[in-house]
Amino acid sequence: MNENDLSLLRVCVSPLTDWYAVNRRELPWRGDPSPYTVWISEIMLQQTRIEAVIPYYLRFLRELPDVAALAACDEERLLKLWEGLGYYSRARNLKKAAEKVMADYGGELPRTAAELRTLPGIGDYTAGAIASIACGEGEPAVDGNVLRVVMRLLACGDDVLSQKTKAAVSEALRQIYPRGEAAALLTEGLMELGETVCIPNAEPRCLLCPLREHCRAAQSGTAALYPVRSAKKQRRIEARTVLLLHCGERYAIEKRPGKGLLAGLWQLPNRDGALGEDELRQLLTSEGLSLLDIEPLGEAKHIFTHVEWHMLGYRVALSKASPSYVWKTAAELERDFAIPTAFRAYTKLL
């Protein structure tokens, strides 16, 4: 970023913060932001829409209102509170970070981005968000929304998927960032502008933008050309056969391995490949399961960041519960166990 770019960013601070103060949406975590509430909301908002997060956030704060409650929470209960948000490592890191805060910071989250980055699951973006919004530190929080706004403002064609670009934008903003309440307003303003006006995957709403007079891309009519992204790698496709195994009123679940995709979570039993009914019958019989009936449940798909599961489901009735699995009623599964959203097409049939 050159001096002209910095000057342009500096000029945009006041109109953006003034706009945000008047136009901001009322969201549960904005009323009285504390380091804890900003932390929880920002972790939940990663990879998840605001509308989906709100009920989870409210329920989470009712049950775990502070760091001490989070640190003491049983992991299974924590994962149940998180069920449906996905990316469960986020929840596990919340608990690890809370335990560290209790041990090293007397139960109070640190108030600088540098210290916040030392906690599990808190990277540059989350540290900047907490430090600026809740503590008034002049530290930016650069995510996809902020990158998009800045790239359009500067009409910059650098690849926003590059860490080098993200680091350059962070450093440029750091040089022009205010402190105190203005820091919070700028961080929230950049987020709000990117979410509601300078939007992704659609024509930006330049006529509504408080920065349109300063925006190089808007002035040249090229806003839709930014930001520039390098081609993403194609996701790997995996075929899975998912089993709704039941013996009477009880259903089978099992834990996934401790490492890798959906690590350590409870799941419906499943097998590699898309197995036909006859293939599945032979396989399950060879595993020693006592089959009564097999009913096809149709196809489903779930998209992870780098993998797509193409699933084929079956309801399988057994005459005897196999000790290879944990057996629970539908009510117990609903109340006590966090089953990943990947299996929702079949768990909703319980």
Side-chain angles (χ1 to χ4, degrees), residues 280-294:
L280 180 62
R281 189 181 300 275
Q282 291 176 15
L283 175 62
L284 297 182
T285 300
S286 73
E287 293 176 356
L289 298 181
S290 48
L291 306 187
L292 290 176
D293 186 45
I294 296 180

Side-chain angles (χ1 to χ4, degrees), residues 69-127:
L70 175 54
C73 184
D74 175 76
E75 183 173 295
E76 289 295 343
R77 180 57 191 158
L78 178 63
L79 295 179
K80 186 63 182 174
L81 287 171
W82 203 266
E83 184 182 23
L85 282 173
Y87 301 93
Y88 286 85
S89 61
R90 294 182 294 171
R92 290 194 174 103
N93 280 331
L94 279 173
K95 180 172 170 61
K96 289 177 187 174
E99 290 169 345
K100 183 174 172 62
V101 170
M102 293 301 295
D104 297 347
Y105 294 96
E108 296 290 333
L109 277 162
R111 301 182 71 82
T112 68
E115 289 177 297
L116 286 162
R117 289 188 195 99
T118 67
L119 299 176
I122 296 185
D124 289 341
Y125 169 77
T126 306

Side-chain angles (χ1 to χ4, degrees), residues 297-311:
L297 296 177
E299 299 178 356
K301 181 168 76 171
H302 188 79
I303 297 175
F304 299 94
T305 305
H306 303 298
V307 182
E308 281 186 31
W309 276 4
H310 290 195
M311 296 172 283

Side-chain angles (χ1 to χ4, degrees), residues 187-242:
T187 294
E188 295 266 41
L190 284 166
M191 294 175 183
E192 190 81 344
L193 194 72
E195 289 164 2
T196 63
V197 176
C198 199
I199 54 177
N201 307 318
E203 193 72 25
R205 298 162 180 163
C206 295
L207 291 178
L208 301 176
C209 182
L211 305 181
R212 63 184 177 276
E213 294 177 6
H214 308 290
C215 178
R216 293 172 185 166
Q219 293 300 310
S220 61
T222 58
L225 301 181
Y226 302 98
V228 173
R229 296 181 182 86
S230 57
K232 280 187 178 179
K233 258 185 157 172
Q234 280 196 317
R235 280 189 290 265
R236 183 176 76 254
I237 294 176
E238 293 183 359
R240 313 288 303 172
T241 298
V242 178

